[in-house]
Structure formats: structure tokens, C-alpha cells
């Protein structure tokens, strides 16, 4: 296989590059950063490429795994839309003959109600809570023929989003969370996502939409306790009722916008909505059509991530 990987300087893209190199594939890595540590991309040749800018000379490849985009729920909407919609269009147009694998997100499902073992036909929808979900849905709609993967809450070595948020929620001996802790949630290890990306790139299907998660959903409280134990944090989960967390998040967002803060507050309405209720996905389609064989959720080694 000859593949190109966009977003290779990031968490998921770098992991995909390393996984593909380990398979013996010929890999070309692309990212916005001027340069990356060769180990991050498994030694693959790296080219700096802003998908919203000039296109560099490109190799002929069998497939493209598109991992680039904005993964934040905070920031200017035009920038998020440009990265996720225009960037996706430009990446697909740059490789018209290649199979296109698009790493989307479970945030395309309805954020205003629980997601209970959702199947792929439940999204996209018409309304979203923020530019991130709306732009990722628009990116899916912009693709004519692609394999679309929808992971949820990606974690693992090199994680720049989920684990930092968990650590940021620790207050003394309390790990602040929302809900009651009994809600089920689907998580996606970066290793499982890499497996799905490579299976999608090599076949057996040329197009389709697939949820990609760990083998089974987990109970939030059990997952948090396992994670903080693995990290060696002396804390207990402490749950804030949704009725209190939502207005607190709204107030924090208002203050941060007034102060024009670039970084998001520790608590946003988007984060609250994804933690307070069930968020689980049905992965039957990935298992049966992609031959996806995910491992169970595990935080072993999290202290070194």
C-alpha cells in the first residue's frame, strides 16, 4: 500500500503513520507544522502542507487517510469551518484517484439528547451545539465517495485533548465530573482507531460510514476510577448535577469570551453535554464490513502518555 496521511503532525495522524509504517506500507506524511520528529511519523517522509494554502508536489498513492482538522470546541467559528470543511474538500481534491478515508467524529450525532448505541444512519442532523459538530457534519456531506470513520473520545499515548481535560478537572482530592457516574460511554483508543483507518484504506469497502470505538462501552465512574488509579492520582470522582454544571459552563464561556481568551475554559457546555448522559455507539457495521476487531478499553500505561 502507498498512502498519504494528512494531519500527520497531530496525535491521531502521527499514530496512523507509525501504524502504517509498521505494516510495511509506503507512507507520505503531511501536516501544518514546518517539521516534526521523524519518530512521530515512523520515519515516513514529511511535508509541511497547510490544506488551506498552496498545494505542494504530491505523490501517487492508493489511499489517503485524512486526519487533519480542528478538534476544538472553542474558538472562532470561521477558522473551525475552514479547517474542517474547506480543508477536507481540498485534501480530497488533491488525490482524486485515491481511496479517501475521512476521520470524522461522533460529535455529528445529536448533542441535545443521549446517544444510545447509535447506528450510523442517526447522523448527520440539522442542529448542533457548536461549530465543531456542525463543521464535521458538513465535511461528511461534502465528500462524494469516502470511507468515513466516527470515533468518540480518543485516548492513548500522545493524547492532547481527553487526558489533559481529565487532569485539569482535578481539584485537590476531587476529580470533578458531571452527571451521576452511572452513564455509559463509548471510548476509542488510538490503537483501535489506527486499526480501523488501515482496514478502511486497504479495503474491503470503497465507501461507507462506520462508528469506531473500543470493544464495549464503559461506565463513566468505573473508567474514571481506573484512569486516576493508573495515573497515581489521590482523588475521587465528584459528580456535579447537570442542572448546576450547564449554567456554570455557560457563565465560564461568557467570561472567557469577554476576556478574549484563546484557550477554552475547563468546563464548556459541549464537554458537559458529552459527559452527563449516555454516549454509546453501535460498531456492528465496522465489525462486519471492515473486519474491525477492537480491543477493550484500557488505561494501562497511562502514566507514561
Amino acid at each position: 500500500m502507498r498512502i498519504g496521511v494528512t494531519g500527520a503532525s497531530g496525535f491521531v495522524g502521527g499514530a496512523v503513520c507509525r501504524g502504517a509504517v509498521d505494516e510495511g506500507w509506503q507512507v507520505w506524511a503531511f501536516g501544518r507544522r514546518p517539521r516534526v520528529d521523524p519518530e512521530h511519523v515512523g520515519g515516513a517522509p514529511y511535508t509541511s502542507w497547510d490544506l488551506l494554502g498552496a498545494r505542494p508536489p504530491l505523490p501517487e498513492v492508493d489511499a489517503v487517510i485524512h486526519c487533519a482538522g480542528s478538534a476544538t470546541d472553542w474558538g472562532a467559528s470561521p477558522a473551525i469551518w475552514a479547517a474542517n470543511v474547506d480543508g477536507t474538500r481540498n485534501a480530497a481534491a488533491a488525490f482524486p484517484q485515491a481511496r479517501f478515508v475521512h476521520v470524522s467524529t461522533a460529535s455529528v450525532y445529536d448533542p441535545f439528547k443521549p446517544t444510545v448505541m447509535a447506528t450510523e444512519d442517526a447522523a448527520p442532523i440539522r442542529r448542533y451545539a457548536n461549530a465543531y459538530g456542525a463543521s464535521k457534519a458538513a465535511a461528511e456531506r461534502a465528500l462524494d465517495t469516502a470511507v468515513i470513520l466516527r470515533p468518540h473520545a480518543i485516548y492513548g499515548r500522545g493524547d492532547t485533548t481527553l487526558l489533559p481535560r481529565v487532569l485539569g478537572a482535578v481539584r485537590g482530592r476531587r476529580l470533578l465530573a458531571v452527571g451521576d457516574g452511572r452513564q455509559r460511554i463509548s471510548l476509542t483508543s488510538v490503537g483501535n482507531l489506527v486499526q480501523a483507518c488501515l482496514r478502511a484504506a486497504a479495503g474491503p469497502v470503497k465507501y461507507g460510514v462506520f462508528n469506531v470505538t473500543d470493544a464495549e462501552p464503559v461506565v463513566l465512574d468505573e473508567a474514571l476510577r481506573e484512569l486516576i488509579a493508573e495515573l497515581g492520582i489521590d482523588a475521587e470522582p465528584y459528580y456535579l448535577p447537570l442542572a448546576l454544571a450547564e449554567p456554570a459552563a455557560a457563565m465560564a464561556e461568557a467570561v472567557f469570551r469577554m476576556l478574549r481568551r484563546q484557550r477554552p475554559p475547563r468546563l464548556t457546555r459541549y464537554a458537559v453535554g458529552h459527559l452527563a448522559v449516555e454516549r454509546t455507539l453501535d460498531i456492528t457495521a465496522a465489525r462486519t464490513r471492515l473486519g474491525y476487531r477492537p480491543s477493550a478499553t484500557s488505561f494501562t500505561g497511562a502514566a507514561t502518555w
Side-chain angles (χ1 to χ4, degrees):
M1 286 289 296
R2 303 168 300 169
I3 69 165
V5 179
T6 67
S9 56
F11 168 41
V12 173
V16 169
C17 287
R18 296 190 298 274
V21 169
D22 288 345
E23 288 292 316
W25 294 3
Q26 190 170 5
V27 180
W28 285 270
F30 303 96
R32 289 187 62 186
R33 296 178 188 174
R35 60 188 62 84
V36 298
D37 184 336
E39 291 186 4
H40 181 76
V41 293
Y46 177 82
T47 300
S48 179
W49 178 20
D50 183 342
L51 290 172
L52 302 178
R55 183 188 301 176
L58 299 173
E60 183 176 338
V61 297
D62 303 304
V64 174
I65 302 177
H66 179 53
C67 305
S70 174
T72 182
D73 62 320
W74 184 260
S77 293
I80 294 172
W81 274 83
N84 290 340
V85 182
D86 297 336
T88 297
R89 285 198 184 102
N90 293 344
F95 298 95
Q97 304 304 316
R99 177 177 300 189
F100 196 79
V101 178
H102 174 56
V103 179
S104 186
T105 173
S107 291
V108 298
Y109 292 103
D110 193 338
F112 300 104
K113 64 181 183 180
T115 307
V116 182
M117 296 306 288
T119 54
E120 289 80 1
D121 59 356
I125 59 169
R126 293 184 178 179
R127 56 176 188 163
Y128 287 96
N130 59 20
Y132 176 63
S135 64
K136 293 296 280 190
E140 289 190 10
R141 294 188 182 103
L143 295 171
D144 294 326
T145 303
V147 181
I148 296 171
L149 306 179
R150 293 176 180 163
H152 182 250
I154 307 166
Y155 69 95
R157 186 178 300 278
D159 175 12
T160 57
T161 302
L162 188 62
L163 184 59
R165 276 197 165 175
V166 170
L167 294 175
V170 175
R171 295 291 186 277
R173 298 188 63 182
R174 287 179 172 179
L175 170 59
L176 301 182
V178 183
D180 59 15
R182 296 193 297 269
Q183 59 267 41
R184 298 200 312 156
I185 185 169
S186 290
L187 302 176
T188 308
S189 76
V190 71
N192 281 334
L193 180 53
V194 168
Q195 178 202 153
C197 286
L198 300 189
R199 288 186 178 274
V205 300
K206 293 185 179 180
Y207 60 91
V209 183
F210 302 94
N211 293 331
V212 176
T213 71
D214 295 347
E216 299 290 343
V218 296
V219 176
L220 179 63
D221 186 71
E222 294 174 2
L224 289 177
R225 288 179 185 277
E226 180 184 342
L227 178 57
I228 59 181
E230 187 68 31
L231 293 171
I233 296 174
D234 183 16
E236 289 279 322
Y238 180 82
Y239 294 96
L240 302 172
L242 180 59
L244 293 178
E246 276 193 326
M251 182 176 295
E253 290 181 9
V255 170
F256 270 56
R257 288 195 179 95
M258 181 178 65
L259 298 176
R260 297 184 179 180
R261 296 282 181 87
Q262 296 299 313
R263 291 188 176 185
R266 295 189 186 277
L267 193 64
T268 65
R269 284 173 292 179
Y270 172 84
V272 167
H274 273 261
L275 288 174
V277 298
E278 179 166 340
R279 298 292 178 192
T280 56
L281 304 179
D282 186 322
I283 58 171
T284 302
R287 289 182 185 272
T288 57
R289 296 185 60 201
L290 289 181
Y292 177 57
R293 298 294 179 265
S295 59
T297 297
S298 174
F299 301 115
T300 301
T304 65
W305 294 349

